[in-house]
Amino acid sequence: MTSPAAPFFAGCQAAFAEARGRCPGPDRRFTLAGASLALRFAGEQLAARLLPAFALPAAVESSGKDGLDIVLWDLAETGVAAPPMPWPRAALGVLGASRGRVPGFCDASFETVLDPGHRILWMLDRAAGRAVAWFRGAAALPAWAQLHP
């Protein structure tokens, strides 16, 4: 059975591809706590704000190819929004109690978290080892997002 989150995740991947086509950005790979992590950015501003958090002895740049692959972009620099969010507005009323988890879009396959106040969306496809992170703009990032993205 396909998760209801799968089509939205695919739309997020397509939006990132469009954003990256408009604004190429850096790719970085790290080994962190023994796991490989790839960060692929559309644009430079978001990378400039988030990559310093990975300049830690525990995060070592690597060339490993497996692990979690995260694509990141923001509306302000790329001009590309996340796809229209398919959950009902009423679902957003419970986000505070659920730590931002979007009801109906978190299951065994996917985790979807939204911070509507800062307009930040995170989504993880567990089976594929892929994630997306969309932001309103690098300049609008809250300090906590820059310290521990």
Side-chain angles (χ1 to χ4, degrees):
M1 181 164 115
T2 302
S3 169
F8 182 66
F9 188 84
C12 287
Q13 291 280 325
F16 170 77
E18 180 183 347
R20 180 100 175 208
R22 290 182 185 187
C23 297
D27 291 349
R28 296 289 186 274
R29 289 194 163 279
F30 299 96
T31 299
L32 185 60
S36 179
L37 173 70
L39 302 174
R40 297 186 301 128
F41 292 90
E44 299 286 337
Q45 295 172 15
L46 190 59
R49 299 245 179 188
L50 296 179
L51 285 174
F54 291 91
L56 304 169
V60 179
E61 286 210 48
S62 73
S63 59
K65 296 293 181 193
D66 31 340
L68 183 61
D69 180 38
I70 305 172
V71 297
L72 306 98
W73 82 103
D74 72 287
L75 173 63
E77 184 175 6
T78 68
V80 178
M85 296 174 189
W87 44 84
R89 282 200 159 277
L92 300 182
V94 300
L95 289 179
S98 65
R99 298 181 186 239
R101 297 179 79 232
V102 178
F105 286 77
C106 295
D107 54 33
S109 299
F110 290 92
E111 185 75 18
T112 306
V113 178
L114 179 67
D115 177 343
H118 294 104
R119 291 182 54 198
I120 300 172
L121 170 72
W122 297 275
M123 196 167 190
L124 169 66
D125 177 344
R126 290 180 180 92
R130 296 180 305 163
V132 297
W134 175 81
F135 305 84
R136 174 179 51 204
L141 281 177
W144 57 262
Q146 296 174 63
L147 296 172
H148 55 86

